[in-house]
Amino acid sequence: MRRKKSSVCNAGTEDIHYLCALKIKTVMQTSSRPIIEIKNVSKYFGEKTALDQVNLYVRKGEFLTILGPSGCGKTTLLRLLAGFQTASEGEIYIGGNEVTQTPPYRRPINTVFQKYALFPHLNVYDNIAFGLKLKKMPRADMERKVKAALRMVGMTDYEYRDVDSLSGGQQQRVAIARAIVNEPEVLLLDEPLAALDLKMRKDMQMELKEMHRRLGITFVYVTHDQEEALTLSDTIVVMSEGRIQQIGTPTDIYNEPVNSFVADFIGESNILNGTMVCDRLVRFCGHEFECVDEGFGEEAPVDVVIRPEDLYIFPVSDKAQLKGVVQSCIFKGVHYEMAVAVDDYEFIVQDYHAFEAGMEVGLLVKPDDIHIMKKERLCNTFEAKIADETHVEFLGCTFECLPSAIPASLQSGQEVKVEVDFDKVVLQDNEEDGMLTGEVKFILYKGNHYHLTVLSDWDENVYVDTNDVWDDGDRVGITIPPEAIRVCM
Ligand code: ATP
């Protein structure tokens, strides 16, 4: 039912010392003013909002990763920082200077791209020296810098090799050497390891972390790979749909996700609808559980997140808070992962011991392993207009509603709000069958149903609860039946 989605850098101490002397500020040497300040930045491409009021500060020497699914705006943010694109609104400061309109070559920044962007007709040395030659740097200085950069990325013996004869990982190292030889204050890295195979990627992750430590310059790294972000970063910025969802250390983000999107995106989670009964008591799955959270009010709808490794599993006994039956048991290398059916719900549980399919088991979770999050919304809410006594316009369509839904006091043309419960929206395989069309953007499994974010072609999200199985990117028809529409002032 559930879908789910080294060779170490060999720079010598001389080079490190040399590069350190040039530029290097270590993570410890953070100054009070952040090196990068992004203030209220938005970016529009026609009607499309790629970035929406982004605020972000990056400390000097930090390894900061921008993490999010495809299309969330990561690359756009990086391009605004590099100066390849200009913000539609807001301001960007680097090193205390406003650079919002400054061209790329005037910014103290270099970028490493996923596709390396090396010059195929130049050898390794000339690729790295390219920018220095443009600056007409004296030959001896240039040679010293190129050699230091080559040693820094562990490519000392490769200076006269054609770049085409290098492996992907070696080419990426040359690209990094070319970027650091300019002694930027900030290095931007746009999915630099995405084109490498898994083993090479893991090796390069270690090398990058080591390079960052030795160089001490600020790294702003873009990836959609959450494991990579957790491994590499001092700080992770999780983005979705052009907005920052959470900023924190890897541990913060993993242990204290602020919403169900972050919880689902970072690692595996059991995410369920729940009700905060009162302070420190939450109800989900038909049972009440002690927790540590306060201040949500009484009988308040919440999202409950429990990591699979925080659920204790044991042969069924009276100690169990929940009793269920194992549906599947998969060995994952270090631990086993079990799907356990508890009434209508399914939990994912990780344990070092295997509990085979068919076994009756008990589950237990400690109060501080239950993470409670405020729900972002309780139903769909749309800006709408009364068309006549039985029709209302929203999402670019005219929808029929029950006559009782529109109070007699409301006139045609009057602006209202319309509410639609998530489980009342109907999705259709055949786009033509829908009143409007859209694309499935995000799927969250909530233990006994899926919660879908569907971006309508009117460019507004429609949220849907369903038991049907859809995939990210599916094109769908969207229908809202008359009885699902509530008109509010
Ligand atoms: P990916 O991981 O797939 O590269 P991303 O998170 O980097 O995705 P962006 O490339 O920043 O996302 O794109 C954000 C949104 O802006 C997307 O919906 C994209 O289609 C849109 N977009 C980006 N560049 C342009 C452009 N030049 N013109 C129109 N739309 C654009």
Side-chain angles (χ1 to χ4, degrees):
M1 169 71 173
R2 174 187 285 252
R3 96 189 31 257
K4 269 294 158 187
K5 2 172 221 168
S6 101
S7 53
V8 176
C9 164
N10 285 324
T13 43
E14 255 176 42
D15 309 318
I16 297 159
H17 191 258
Y18 165 70
L19 284 160
C20 284
L22 293 171
K23 187 70 55 194
I24 299 175
K25 310 281 182 279
T26 66
V27 180
M28 306 301 288
Q29 288 172 291
T30 53
S31 72
S32 52
R33 184 156 189 181
I35 187 156
I36 297 174
E37 296 164 83
I38 298 171
K39 295 185 177 173
N40 300 319
V41 162
S42 298
K43 177 70 183 172
Y44 310 114
F45 294 107
E47 295 285 296
K48 171 86 202 163
T49 304
L51 292 175
D52 188 7
Q53 291 288 308
V54 169
N55 284 287
L56 179 64
Y57 303 92
V58 185
R59 284 175 292 126
K60 209 165 210 168
E62 195 170 10
F63 195 130
L64 179 133
T65 299
I66 303 168
L67 173 70
S70 182
C72 73
K74 310 178 290 291
T75 303
T76 304
L77 186 54
L78 209 71
R79 292 177 73 81
L80 296 188
L81 271 178
F84 302 135
Q85 278 167 350
T86 323
S88 311
E89 285 168 15
E91 291 152 21
I92 299 174
Y93 295 81
I94 299 175
N97 303 312
E98 207 206 320
V99 296
T100 321
Q101 306 292 334
T102 308
Y105 61 90
R106 292 243 179 91
R107 301 187 185 203
I109 271 187
N110 261 92
T111 308
V112 178
F113 299 97
Q114 180 183 340
K115 295 201 175 99
Y116 323 134
L118 298 175
F119 302 115
H121 59 288
L122 300 181
N123 65 20
V124 168
Y125 182 98
D126 290 335
N127 259 284
I128 299 171
F130 189 79
L132 306 179
K133 280 186 186 163
L134 284 184
K135 287 187 198 160
K136 303 209 184 327
M137 180 173 284
R139 201 184 166 81
D141 290 351
M142 186 164 68
E143 214 171 298
R144 192 160 48 86
K145 281 178 186 251
V146 172
K147 288 195 168 167
L150 273 170
R151 273 197 287 270
M152 200 69 194
V153 297
M155 293 286 289
T156 307
D157 299 330
Y158 291 80
E159 53 197 284
Y160 299 113
R161 283 273 293 269
D162 284 343
V163 288
D164 281 347
S165 71
L166 303 177
S167 72
Q170 289 166 336
Q171 290 190 36
Q172 193 53 286
R173 273 179 244 181
V174 175
I176 293 168
R178 190 178 58 178
I180 60 175
V181 82
N182 292 316
E183 302 151 22
E185 289 186 47
V186 178
L187 194 61
L188 305 180
L189 301 111
D190 188 2
E191 306 234 17
L193 309 185
L196 306 179
D197 65 37
L198 184 66
K199 169 83 174 71
M200 180 72 82
R201 207 156 65 224
K202 297 276 172 209
D203 287 349
M204 280 297 287
Q205 283 176 6
M206 292 303 111
E207 290 190 25
L208 271 177
K209 205 162 166 59
E210 183 61 16
M211 271 184 232
H212 171 255
R213 197 183 63 75
R214 289 168 187 242
L215 279 166
I217 57 179
T218 310
F219 276 32
V220 179
Y221 193 94
V222 158
T223 184
H224 62 269
D225 181 336
Q226 41 108 359
E227 210 180 304
E228 194 161 284
L230 292 170
T231 308
L232 289 174
S233 325
D234 299 318
T235 303
I236 298 177
V237 178
V238 185
M239 289 189 65
S240 164
E241 295 172 29
R243 270 176 244 137
I244 291 181
Q245 303 290 318
Q246 187 168 5
I247 303 175
T249 63
T251 342
D252 286 345
I253 300 266
Y254 189 83
N255 289 336
E256 299 294 336
V258 292
N259 58 32
S260 50
F261 172 83
V262 178
D264 186 63
F265 196 69
I266 308 279
E268 287 231 27
S269 288
N270 295 288
I271 304 175
L272 307 160
N273 289 336
T275 304
M276 205 65 188
V277 180
C278 57
D279 281 352
R280 295 187 296 283
L281 190 66
V282 62
R283 184 169 57 242
F284 56 87
C285 224
H287 297 260
E288 288 184 356
F289 296 80
E290 280 179 35
C291 61
V292 295
D293 296 82
E294 299 178 347
F296 287 84
E298 293 188 1
E299 293 299 319
V302 289
D303 279 325
V304 177
V305 174
I306 306 172
R307 296 288 185 191
E309 65 271 24
D310 290 337
L311 275 162
Y312 291 88
I313 181 168
F314 43 88
V316 74
S317 77
D318 290 344
K319 276 196 310 184
Q321 290 169 313
L322 296 168
K323 292 176 184 171
V325 178
V326 177
Q327 304 297 299
S328 63
C329 175
I330 300 167
F331 183 51
K332 289 277 192 167
V334 178
H335 61 263
Y336 293 88
E337 188 168 281
M338 276 78 56
V340 179
V342 177
D343 303 328
D344 285 347
Y345 291 84
E346 186 188 83
F347 285 86
I348 290 293
V349 184
Q350 291 171 352
D351 199 277
Y352 295 118
H353 301 101
F355 291 80
E356 297 303 336
M359 263 187 86
E360 283 190 52
V361 290
L363 299 180
L364 198 140
V365 57
K366 291 195 289 188
D368 57 358
D369 287 331
I370 298 176
H371 305 288
I372 307 290
M373 296 176 309
K374 192 169 176 287
K375 277 192 175 292
E376 285 171 86
R377 59 190 72 79
L378 299 175
C379 63
N380 288 290
T381 307
F382 307 109
E383 301 291 336
K385 212 181 254 183
I386 302 291
D388 58 35
E389 59 275 14
T390 51
H391 291 88
V392 61
E393 292 168 5
F394 58 96
L395 293 171
C397 298
T398 303
F399 290 86
E400 188 185 346
C401 56
L402 299 180
S404 57
I406 302 183
S409 58
L410 294 180
Q411 309 289 313
S412 300
Q414 200 156 339
E415 291 186 353
V416 290
K417 284 200 190 315
V418 154
E419 290 182 350
V420 179
D421 290 334
F422 303 136
D423 60 353
K424 298 282 171 35
V425 180
V426 180
L427 297 185
Q428 285 126 328
D429 266 327
N430 200 344
E431 286 179 63
E432 285 91 67
D433 292 344
M435 295 154 127
L436 70 155
T437 49
E439 189 176 315
V440 177
K441 283 286 181 191
F442 179 57
I443 302 168
L444 194 64
Y445 185 64
K446 304 269 314 253
N448 64 350
H449 67 275
Y450 298 103
H451 184 70
L452 270 51
T453 305
V454 181
L455 180 64
S456 73
D457 293 338
W458 185 248
D459 212 21
E460 235 183 288
N461 283 334
V462 179
Y463 301 95
V464 186
D465 280 350
T466 177
N467 286 314
D468 295 336
V469 177
W470 296 94
D471 276 316
D472 281 333
D474 277 352
R475 294 285 311 164
V476 289
I478 305 169
T479 293
I480 301 178
E483 61 278 13
I485 293 174
R486 289 193 299 271
V487 177
C488 335
M489 290 300 286

